[in-house]
mmCIF file of all heavy atoms in Angstrom:
data_model
loop_
_atom_site.group_PDB
_atom_site.id
_atom_site.type_symbol
_atom_site.label_atom_id
_atom_site.label_comp_id
_atom_site.label_asym_id
_atom_site.label_seq_id
_atom_site.Cartn_x
_atom_site.Cartn_y
_atom_site.Cartn_z
ATOM 1 N N TRP B 1 92.434 97.086 97.923
ATOM 2 C CA TRP B 1 93.185 97.687 99.025
ATOM 3 C C TRP B 1 93.981 96.623 99.773
ATOM 4 O O TRP B 1 95.135 96.845 100.154
ATOM 5 C CB TRP B 1 92.232 98.405 99.973
ATOM 6 C CG TRP B 1 92.934 99.041 101.141
ATOM 7 C CD1 TRP B 1 92.923 98.629 102.434
ATOM 8 C CD2 TRP B 1 93.764 100.207 101.111
ATOM 9 N NE1 TRP B 1 93.697 99.444 103.216
ATOM 10 C CE2 TRP B 1 94.217 100.435 102.421
ATOM 11 C CE3 TRP B 1 94.164 101.069 100.096
ATOM 12 C CZ2 TRP B 1 95.054 101.483 102.756
ATOM 13 C CZ3 TRP B 1 95.004 102.124 100.433
ATOM 14 C CH2 TRP B 1 95.436 102.329 101.742
ATOM 15 N N LYS B 2 93.394 95.450 99.974
ATOM 16 C CA LYS B 2 94.120 94.369 100.653
ATOM 17 C C LYS B 2 95.383 94.001 99.890
ATOM 18 O O LYS B 2 96.414 93.677 100.486
ATOM 19 C CB LYS B 2 93.209 93.143 100.804
ATOM 20 C CG LYS B 2 92.115 93.296 101.834
ATOM 21 C CD LYS B 2 91.242 92.047 101.900
ATOM 22 C CE LYS B 2 90.141 92.201 102.933
ATOM 23 N NZ LYS B 2 89.267 91.003 102.977
ATOM 24 N N HIS B 3 95.305 94.062 98.566
ATOM 25 C CA HIS B 3 96.473 93.716 97.758
ATOM 26 C C HIS B 3 97.512 94.827 97.779
ATOM 27 O O HIS B 3 98.693 94.603 98.093
ATOM 28 C CB HIS B 3 96.043 93.428 96.310
ATOM 29 C CG HIS B 3 97.199 93.198 95.384
ATOM 30 N ND1 HIS B 3 97.523 94.075 94.366
ATOM 31 C CD2 HIS B 3 98.125 92.214 95.330
ATOM 32 C CE1 HIS B 3 98.586 93.622 93.725
ATOM 33 N NE2 HIS B 3 98.969 92.496 94.284
ATOM 34 N N SER B 4 97.089 96.065 97.467
ATOM 35 C CA SER B 4 98.048 97.160 97.316
ATOM 36 C C SER B 4 98.622 97.629 98.645
ATOM 37 O O SER B 4 99.789 98.030 98.718
ATOM 38 C CB SER B 4 97.392 98.339 96.595
ATOM 39 O OG SER B 4 96.329 98.863 97.367
ATOM 40 N N HIS B 5 97.823 97.579 99.704
ATOM 41 C CA HIS B 5 98.293 98.073 101.004
ATOM 42 C C HIS B 5 98.782 96.947 101.908
ATOM 43 O O HIS B 5 99.933 96.930 102.336
ATOM 44 C CB HIS B 5 97.172 98.855 101.708
ATOM 45 C CG HIS B 5 97.546 99.331 103.069
ATOM 46 N ND1 HIS B 5 97.193 98.655 104.220
ATOM 47 C CD2 HIS B 5 98.263 100.417 103.482
ATOM 48 C CE1 HIS B 5 97.661 99.296 105.277
ATOM 49 N NE2 HIS B 5 98.315 100.369 104.853
ATOM 50 N N ASN B 6 97.894 95.987 102.172
ATOM 51 C CA ASN B 6 98.248 94.937 103.130
ATOM 52 C C ASN B 6 99.371 94.039 102.610
ATOM 53 O O ASN B 6 100.238 93.624 103.381
ATOM 54 C CB ASN B 6 97.030 94.079 103.453
ATOM 55 C CG ASN B 6 95.905 94.883 104.088
ATOM 56 O OD1 ASN B 6 95.982 96.100 104.171
ATOM 57 N ND2 ASN B 6 94.859 94.210 104.525
ATOM 58 N N TYR B 7 99.345 93.735 101.324
ATOM 59 C CA TYR B 7 100.369 92.843 100.774
ATOM 60 C C TYR B 7 101.591 93.628 100.283
ATOM 61 O O TYR B 7 102.688 93.483 100.822
ATOM 62 C CB TYR B 7 99.790 91.999 99.639
ATOM 63 C CG TYR B 7 100.848 91.251 98.862
ATOM 64 C CD1 TYR B 7 101.633 90.273 99.477
ATOM 65 C CD2 TYR B 7 101.082 91.545 97.524
ATOM 66 C CE1 TYR B 7 102.618 89.599 98.783
ATOM 67 C CE2 TYR B 7 102.069 90.870 96.813
ATOM 68 C CZ TYR B 7 102.834 89.894 97.440
ATOM 69 O OH TYR B 7 103.807 89.238 96.739
ATOM 70 N N ILE B 8 101.395 94.489 99.276
ATOM 71 C CA ILE B 8 102.556 95.134 98.647
ATOM 72 C C ILE B 8 103.230 96.130 99.591
ATOM 73 O O ILE B 8 104.437 96.061 99.843
ATOM 74 C CB ILE B 8 102.150 95.817 97.338
ATOM 75 C CG1 ILE B 8 101.712 94.764 96.307
ATOM 76 C CG2 ILE B 8 103.325 96.630 96.778
ATOM 77 C CD1 ILE B 8 101.270 95.339 94.987
ATOM 78 N N HIS B 9 102.450 97.080 100.120
ATOM 79 C CA HIS B 9 103.065 98.139 100.928
ATOM 80 C C HIS B 9 103.692 97.585 102.203
ATOM 81 O O HIS B 9 104.826 97.948 102.553
ATOM 82 C CB HIS B 9 102.028 99.202 101.261
ATOM 83 C CG HIS B 9 102.536 100.285 102.160
ATOM 84 N ND1 HIS B 9 103.657 101.027 101.871
ATOM 85 C CD2 HIS B 9 102.090 100.739 103.365
ATOM 86 C CE1 HIS B 9 103.880 101.901 102.850
ATOM 87 N NE2 HIS B 9 102.954 101.734 103.763
ATOM 88 N N HIS B 10 102.974 96.718 102.910
ATOM 89 C CA HIS B 10 103.513 96.225 104.176
ATOM 90 C C HIS B 10 104.577 95.156 103.989
ATOM 91 O O HIS B 10 105.404 94.960 104.884
ATOM 92 C CB HIS B 10 102.379 95.713 105.070
ATOM 93 C CG HIS B 10 101.710 96.809 105.832
ATOM 94 N ND1 HIS B 10 102.268 97.386 106.954
ATOM 95 C CD2 HIS B 10 100.541 97.462 105.624
ATOM 96 C CE1 HIS B 10 101.469 98.342 107.407
ATOM 97 N NE2 HIS B 10 100.415 98.414 106.619
ATOM 98 N N GLN B 11 104.582 94.456 102.873
ATOM 99 C CA GLN B 11 105.662 93.507 102.607
ATOM 100 C C GLN B 11 106.914 94.219 102.117
ATOM 101 O O GLN B 11 108.023 93.881 102.505
ATOM 102 C CB GLN B 11 105.216 92.499 101.536
ATOM 103 C CG GLN B 11 104.326 91.393 102.075
ATOM 104 C CD GLN B 11 105.158 90.241 102.644
ATOM 105 O OE1 GLN B 11 106.256 90.434 103.154
ATOM 106 N NE2 GLN B 11 104.628 89.054 102.561
ATOM 107 N N PHE B 12 106.740 95.198 101.222
ATOM 108 C CA PHE B 12 107.870 95.815 100.536
ATOM 109 C C PHE B 12 107.988 97.291 100.915
ATOM 110 O O PHE B 12 108.220 98.142 100.069
ATOM 111 C CB PHE B 12 107.709 95.655 99.022
ATOM 112 C CG PHE B 12 107.530 94.221 98.595
ATOM 113 C CD1 PHE B 12 106.273 93.735 98.285
ATOM 114 C CD2 PHE B 12 108.614 93.364 98.538
ATOM 115 C CE1 PHE B 12 106.100 92.405 97.904
ATOM 116 C CE2 PHE B 12 108.449 92.036 98.162
ATOM 117 C CZ PHE B 12 107.191 91.553 97.841
ATOM 118 N N THR B 13 107.842 97.578 102.196
ATOM 119 C CA THR B 13 107.831 98.952 102.688
ATOM 120 C C THR B 13 109.038 99.747 102.222
ATOM 121 O O THR B 13 110.185 99.396 102.505
ATOM 122 C CB THR B 13 107.789 98.955 104.227
ATOM 123 O OG1 THR B 13 106.697 98.151 104.666
ATOM 124 C CG2 THR B 13 107.624 100.372 104.752
ATOM 125 N N ASN B 14 108.765 100.831 101.477
ATOM 126 C CA ASN B 14 109.786 101.788 101.037
ATOM 127 C C ASN B 14 110.886 101.169 100.170
ATOM 128 O O ASN B 14 111.996 101.697 100.121
ATOM 129 C CB ASN B 14 110.405 102.512 102.239
ATOM 130 C CG ASN B 14 109.624 103.757 102.596
ATOM 131 O OD1 ASN B 14 108.453 103.881 102.272
ATOM 132 N ND2 ASN B 14 110.268 104.685 103.285
ATOM 133 N N VAL B 15 110.577 100.070 99.485
ATOM 134 C CA VAL B 15 111.540 99.492 98.548
ATOM 135 C C VAL B 15 111.256 100.075 97.164
ATOM 136 O O VAL B 15 110.182 99.866 96.595
ATOM 137 C CB VAL B 15 111.452 97.954 98.507
ATOM 138 C CG1 VAL B 15 112.463 97.400 97.500
ATOM 139 C CG2 VAL B 15 111.718 97.371 99.885
ATOM 140 N N LEU B 16 112.217 100.806 96.632
ATOM 141 C CA LEU B 16 112.043 101.464 95.344
ATOM 142 C C LEU B 16 111.795 100.436 94.242
ATOM 143 O O LEU B 16 112.495 99.433 94.139
ATOM 144 C CB LEU B 16 113.287 102.289 95.009
ATOM 145 C CG LEU B 16 113.526 103.497 95.927
ATOM 146 C CD1 LEU B 16 114.970 103.955 95.851
ATOM 147 C CD2 LEU B 16 112.582 104.631 95.570
ATOM 148 N N GLY B 17 110.778 100.695 93.440
ATOM 149 C CA GLY B 17 110.417 99.789 92.379
ATOM 150 C C GLY B 17 109.416 98.732 92.804
ATOM 151 O O GLY B 17 108.890 98.001 91.962
ATOM 152 N N HIS B 18 109.134 98.648 94.104
ATOM 153 C CA HIS B 18 108.205 97.646 94.611
ATOM 154 C C HIS B 18 107.011 98.275 95.326
ATOM 155 O O HIS B 18 105.877 97.837 95.157
ATOM 156 C CB HIS B 18 108.922 96.695 95.579
ATOM 157 C CG HIS B 18 109.882 95.760 94.924
ATOM 158 N ND1 HIS B 18 109.551 94.488 94.535
ATOM 159 C CD2 HIS B 18 111.174 95.930 94.565
ATOM 160 C CE1 HIS B 18 110.595 93.900 93.972
ATOM 161 N NE2 HIS B 18 111.598 94.774 93.976
ATOM 162 N N ASP B 19 107.269 99.273 96.159
ATOM 163 C CA ASP B 19 106.231 99.866 97.000
ATOM 164 C C ASP B 19 105.522 100.993 96.257
ATOM 165 O O ASP B 19 106.123 102.033 95.964
ATOM 166 C CB ASP B 19 106.864 100.396 98.291
ATOM 167 C CG ASP B 19 105.836 100.902 99.284
ATOM 168 O OD1 ASP B 19 104.627 100.828 98.985
ATOM 169 O OD2 ASP B 19 106.241 101.377 100.365
ATOM 170 N N ASN B 20 104.236 100.806 95.966
ATOM 171 C CA ASN B 20 103.461 101.817 95.239
ATOM 172 C C ASN B 20 103.238 103.088 96.055
ATOM 173 O O ASN B 20 102.843 104.122 95.504
ATOM 174 C CB ASN B 20 102.110 101.247 94.826
ATOM 175 C CG ASN B 20 102.240 100.153 93.778
ATOM 176 O OD1 ASN B 20 103.232 100.082 93.070
ATOM 177 N ND2 ASN B 20 101.255 99.291 93.693
ATOM 178 N N ASP B 21 103.442 103.023 97.369
ATOM 179 C CA ASP B 21 103.217 104.202 98.209
ATOM 180 C C ASP B 21 104.289 105.267 98.020
ATOM 181 O O ASP B 21 104.110 106.399 98.486
ATOM 182 C CB ASP B 21 103.155 103.795 99.690
ATOM 183 C CG ASP B 21 101.780 103.288 100.079
ATOM 184 O OD1 ASP B 21 101.173 102.576 99.265
ATOM 185 O OD2 ASP B 21 101.309 103.608 101.190
ATOM 186 N N ILE B 22 105.406 104.938 97.406
ATOM 187 C CA ILE B 22 106.451 105.938 97.181
ATOM 188 C C ILE B 22 106.016 106.812 96.011
ATOM 189 O O ILE B 22 106.350 106.562 94.852
ATOM 190 C CB ILE B 22 107.817 105.276 96.903
ATOM 191 C CG1 ILE B 22 108.201 104.329 98.039
ATOM 192 C CG2 ILE B 22 108.894 106.360 96.742
ATOM 193 C CD1 ILE B 22 109.507 103.592 97.814
ATOM 194 N N GLY B 23 105.231 107.821 96.315
ATOM 195 C CA GLY B 23 104.773 108.766 95.310
ATOM 196 C C GLY B 23 103.445 108.436 94.672
ATOM 197 O O GLY B 23 102.910 109.235 93.900
ATOM 198 N N TYR B 24 102.895 107.259 94.958
ATOM 199 C CA TYR B 24 101.568 106.879 94.441
ATOM 200 C C TYR B 24 101.481 106.944 92.921
ATOM 201 O O TYR B 24 100.414 107.143 92.360
ATOM 202 C CB TYR B 24 100.483 107.761 95.072
ATOM 203 C CG TYR B 24 100.400 107.625 96.566
ATOM 204 C CD1 TYR B 24 101.162 108.461 97.391
ATOM 205 C CD2 TYR B 24 99.600 106.655 97.162
ATOM 206 C CE1 TYR B 24 101.117 108.324 98.781
ATOM 207 C CE2 TYR B 24 99.559 106.515 98.543
ATOM 208 C CZ TYR B 24 100.313 107.354 99.341
ATOM 209 O OH TYR B 24 100.274 107.213 100.700
ATOM 210 N N GLY B 25 102.611 106.797 92.248
ATOM 211 C CA GLY B 25 102.596 106.866 90.795
ATOM 212 C C GLY B 25 102.442 108.277 90.250
ATOM 213 O O GLY B 25 102.357 108.474 89.044
ATOM 214 N N VAL B 26 102.426 109.269 91.131
ATOM 215 C CA VAL B 26 102.202 110.662 90.738
ATOM 216 C C VAL B 26 103.386 111.545 91.092
ATOM 217 O O VAL B 26 103.782 112.421 90.329
ATOM 218 C CB VAL B 26 100.920 111.215 91.408
ATOM 219 C CG1 VAL B 26 100.705 112.667 91.033
ATOM 220 C CG2 VAL B 26 99.707 110.371 91.030
ATOM 221 N N LEU B 27 103.982 111.317 92.265
ATOM 222 C CA LEU B 27 105.037 112.180 92.786
ATOM 223 C C LEU B 27 106.383 111.463 92.793
ATOM 224 O O LEU B 27 106.449 110.249 93.002
ATOM 225 C CB LEU B 27 104.706 112.629 94.215
ATOM 226 C CG LEU B 27 103.371 113.346 94.425
ATOM 227 C CD1 LEU B 27 103.137 113.590 95.916
ATOM 228 C CD2 LEU B 27 103.327 114.654 93.657
ATOM 229 N N ARG B 28 107.439 112.209 92.576
ATOM 230 C CA ARG B 28 108.808 111.704 92.741
ATOM 231 C C ARG B 28 109.218 111.976 94.182
ATOM 232 O O ARG B 28 109.362 113.120 94.590
ATOM 233 C CB ARG B 28 109.743 112.421 91.763
ATOM 234 C CG ARG B 28 111.216 112.012 91.870
ATOM 235 C CD ARG B 28 112.033 112.727 90.795
ATOM 236 N NE ARG B 28 113.445 112.364 90.864
ATOM 237 C CZ ARG B 28 114.417 113.183 91.288
ATOM 238 N NH1 ARG B 28 114.124 114.434 91.669
ATOM 239 N NH2 ARG B 28 115.671 112.775 91.320
ATOM 240 N N MET B 29 109.406 110.909 94.981
ATOM 241 C CA MET B 29 109.630 111.084 96.406
ATOM 242 C C MET B 29 110.989 110.565 96.874
ATOM 243 O O MET B 29 111.249 110.510 98.067
ATOM 244 C CB MET B 29 108.521 110.376 97.192
ATOM 245 C CG MET B 29 107.148 110.981 96.985
ATOM 246 S SD MET B 29 107.045 112.740 97.411
ATOM 247 C CE MET B 29 107.486 112.724 99.139
ATOM 248 N N ALA B 30 111.865 110.173 95.942
ATOM 249 C CA ALA B 30 113.205 109.709 96.309
ATOM 250 C C ALA B 30 114.196 110.198 95.268
ATOM 251 O O ALA B 30 113.897 110.192 94.072
ATOM 252 C CB ALA B 30 113.243 108.177 96.393
ATOM 253 N N ARG B 31 115.368 110.600 95.706
ATOM 254 C CA ARG B 31 116.377 111.124 94.788
ATOM 255 C C ARG B 31 116.877 110.038 93.843
ATOM 256 O O ARG B 31 117.413 110.333 92.779
ATOM 257 C CB ARG B 31 117.542 111.729 95.584
ATOM 258 C CG ARG B 31 117.140 112.910 96.460
ATOM 259 C CD ARG B 31 118.340 113.514 97.171
ATOM 260 N NE ARG B 31 119.175 114.298 96.280
ATOM 261 C CZ ARG B 31 118.964 115.579 95.967
ATOM 262 N NH1 ARG B 31 117.910 116.221 96.445
ATOM 263 N NH2 ARG B 31 119.785 116.217 95.162
ATOM 264 N N GLU B 32 116.704 108.760 94.245
ATOM 265 C CA GLU B 32 117.128 107.666 93.372
ATOM 266 C C GLU B 32 116.204 107.500 92.168
ATOM 267 O O GLU B 32 116.587 106.863 91.178
ATOM 268 C CB GLU B 32 117.168 106.344 94.153
ATOM 269 C CG GLU B 32 118.208 106.303 95.268
ATOM 270 C CD GLU B 32 117.713 106.895 96.574
ATOM 271 O OE1 GLU B 32 116.581 107.435 96.595
ATOM 272 O OE2 GLU B 32 118.437 106.813 97.578
ATOM 273 N N GLN B 33 115.000 108.031 92.242
ATOM 274 C CA GLN B 33 114.070 107.929 91.124
ATOM 275 C C GLN B 33 114.494 108.922 90.036
ATOM 276 O O GLN B 33 114.778 110.075 90.317
ATOM 277 C CB GLN B 33 112.641 108.233 91.585
ATOM 278 C CG GLN B 33 112.069 107.178 92.518
ATOM 279 C CD GLN B 33 110.715 107.577 93.063
ATOM 280 O OE1 GLN B 33 110.560 108.653 93.629
ATOM 281 N NE2 GLN B 33 109.735 106.713 92.894
ATOM 282 N N LYS B 34 114.527 108.453 88.805
ATOM 283 C CA LYS B 34 114.940 109.311 87.701
ATOM 284 C C LYS B 34 114.010 110.508 87.568
ATOM 285 O O LYS B 34 112.797 110.379 87.676
ATOM 286 C CB LYS B 34 114.946 108.509 86.403
ATOM 287 C CG LYS B 34 116.075 107.486 86.309
ATOM 288 C CD LYS B 34 116.065 106.775 84.962
ATOM 289 C CE LYS B 34 117.207 105.775 84.871
ATOM 290 N NZ LYS B 34 117.195 105.051 83.579
ATOM 291 N N TRP B 35 114.621 111.669 87.327
ATOM 292 C CA TRP B 35 113.832 112.884 87.146
ATOM 293 C C TRP B 35 113.327 112.953 85.709
ATOM 294 O O TRP B 35 113.994 112.534 84.762
ATOM 295 C CB TRP B 35 114.682 114.113 87.459
ATOM 296 C CG TRP B 35 113.927 115.400 87.302
ATOM 297 C CD1 TRP B 35 113.125 115.994 88.240
ATOM 298 C CD2 TRP B 35 113.889 116.242 86.146
ATOM 299 N NE1 TRP B 35 112.589 117.150 87.730
ATOM 300 C CE2 TRP B 35 113.032 117.335 86.442
ATOM 301 C CE3 TRP B 35 114.486 116.170 84.889
ATOM 302 C CZ2 TRP B 35 112.774 118.349 85.542
ATOM 303 C CZ3 TRP B 35 114.227 117.172 83.977
ATOM 304 C CH2 TRP B 35 113.378 118.252 84.303
ATOM 305 N N HIS B 36 112.126 113.498 85.546
ATOM 306 C CA HIS B 36 111.529 113.715 84.227
ATOM 307 C C HIS B 36 110.901 115.100 84.244
ATOM 308 O O HIS B 36 110.426 115.560 85.306
ATOM 309 C CB HIS B 36 110.465 112.637 83.945
ATOM 310 C CG HIS B 36 109.936 112.659 82.548
ATOM 311 N ND1 HIS B 36 108.923 113.511 82.154
ATOM 312 C CD2 HIS B 36 110.283 111.930 81.446
ATOM 313 C CE1 HIS B 36 108.663 113.312 80.867
ATOM 314 N NE2 HIS B 36 109.467 112.361 80.418
ATOM 315 N N PRO B 37 110.879 115.813 83.124
ATOM 316 C CA PRO B 37 110.284 117.160 83.117
ATOM 317 C C PRO B 37 108.863 117.214 83.671
ATOM 318 O O PRO B 37 108.444 118.252 84.200
ATOM 319 C CB PRO B 37 110.305 117.532 81.627
ATOM 320 C CG PRO B 37 111.482 116.799 81.079
ATOM 321 C CD PRO B 37 111.524 115.496 81.820
ATOM 322 N N VAL B 38 108.129 116.097 83.584
ATOM 323 C CA VAL B 38 106.769 116.095 84.124
ATOM 324 C C VAL B 38 106.764 116.337 85.624
ATOM 325 O O VAL B 38 105.762 116.807 86.186
ATOM 326 C CB VAL B 38 106.068 114.754 83.779
ATOM 327 C CG1 VAL B 38 106.611 113.617 84.637
ATOM 328 C CG2 VAL B 38 104.553 114.865 83.951
ATOM 329 N N ASN B 39 107.907 116.064 86.297
ATOM 330 C CA ASN B 39 107.987 116.273 87.744
ATOM 331 C C ASN B 39 107.943 117.744 88.136
ATOM 332 O O ASN B 39 107.714 118.069 89.311
ATOM 333 C CB ASN B 39 109.260 115.645 88.306
ATOM 334 C CG ASN B 39 109.278 114.139 88.171
ATOM 335 O OD1 ASN B 39 110.205 113.558 87.595
ATOM 336 N ND2 ASN B 39 108.260 113.478 88.681
ATOM 337 N N LEU B 40 108.157 118.648 87.184
ATOM 338 C CA LEU B 40 108.071 120.072 87.492
ATOM 339 C C LEU B 40 106.691 120.451 88.004
ATOM 340 O O LEU B 40 106.534 121.451 88.716
ATOM 341 C CB LEU B 40 108.406 120.896 86.242
ATOM 342 C CG LEU B 40 109.866 120.844 85.766
ATOM 343 C CD1 LEU B 40 110.005 121.522 84.412
ATOM 344 C CD2 LEU B 40 110.787 121.509 86.795
ATOM 345 N N GLY B 41 105.690 119.667 87.660
ATOM 346 C CA GLY B 41 104.327 119.945 88.098
ATOM 347 C C GLY B 41 103.980 119.377 89.456
ATOM 348 O O GLY B 41 102.813 119.420 89.869
ATOM 349 N N GLN B 42 104.981 118.864 90.185
ATOM 350 C CA GLN B 42 104.689 118.216 91.467
ATOM 351 C C GLN B 42 103.912 119.081 92.461
ATOM 352 O O GLN B 42 103.031 118.563 93.147
ATOM 353 C CB GLN B 42 105.975 117.697 92.125
ATOM 354 C CG GLN B 42 106.429 116.395 91.534
ATOM 355 C CD GLN B 42 107.349 115.573 92.436
ATOM 356 O OE1 GLN B 42 107.663 114.472 92.077
ATOM 357 N NE2 GLN B 42 107.773 116.065 93.574
ATOM 358 N N PRO B 43 104.215 120.369 92.593
ATOM 359 C CA PRO B 43 103.417 121.171 93.526
ATOM 360 C C PRO B 43 101.923 121.135 93.195
ATOM 361 O O PRO B 43 101.079 121.080 94.095
ATOM 362 C CB PRO B 43 103.996 122.579 93.366
ATOM 363 C CG PRO B 43 105.408 122.353 92.929
ATOM 364 C CD PRO B 43 105.349 121.144 92.040
ATOM 365 N N VAL B 44 101.597 121.132 91.903
ATOM 366 C CA VAL B 44 100.188 121.062 91.488
ATOM 367 C C VAL B 44 99.628 119.669 91.730
ATOM 368 O O VAL B 44 98.530 119.513 92.275
ATOM 369 C CB VAL B 44 100.045 121.434 90.001
ATOM 370 C CG1 VAL B 44 98.597 121.274 89.542
ATOM 371 C CG2 VAL B 44 100.525 122.860 89.759
ATOM 372 N N TYR B 45 100.386 118.621 91.341
ATOM 373 C CA TYR B 45 99.919 117.250 91.557
ATOM 374 C C TYR B 45 99.680 116.994 93.040
ATOM 375 O O TYR B 45 98.707 116.331 93.420
ATOM 376 C CB TYR B 45 100.945 116.232 91.049
ATOM 377 C CG TYR B 45 101.481 116.461 89.673
ATOM 378 C CD1 TYR B 45 102.762 116.037 89.328
ATOM 379 C CD2 TYR B 45 100.729 117.107 88.691
ATOM 380 C CE1 TYR B 45 103.280 116.241 88.060
ATOM 381 C CE2 TYR B 45 101.240 117.324 87.419
ATOM 382 C CZ TYR B 45 102.520 116.898 87.117
ATOM 383 O OH TYR B 45 103.030 117.108 85.873
ATOM 384 N N ASN B 46 100.583 117.521 93.867
ATOM 385 C CA ASN B 46 100.474 117.308 95.308
ATOM 386 C C ASN B 46 99.209 117.946 95.862
ATOM 387 O O ASN B 46 98.497 117.349 96.673
ATOM 388 C CB ASN B 46 101.706 117.885 96.004
ATOM 389 C CG ASN B 46 101.656 117.711 97.502
ATOM 390 O OD1 ASN B 46 101.612 116.604 98.021
ATOM 391 N ND2 ASN B 46 101.663 118.817 98.227
ATOM 392 N N ALA B 47 98.917 119.179 95.422
ATOM 393 C CA ALA B 47 97.704 119.864 95.898
ATOM 394 C C ALA B 47 96.444 119.120 95.460
ATOM 395 O O ALA B 47 95.492 118.969 96.236
ATOM 396 C CB ALA B 47 97.690 121.300 95.373
#
């Protein structure tokens, strides 16, 4: 947690390609991120 949150997230806040908090590797949360058919399941992944 110290690495992923304290270092990466707080150093690279909301930088696409750097901050793991942008979607947590599960959700597409920025229009700049390429769309993939797997994203159709986002409502389920989110729940």
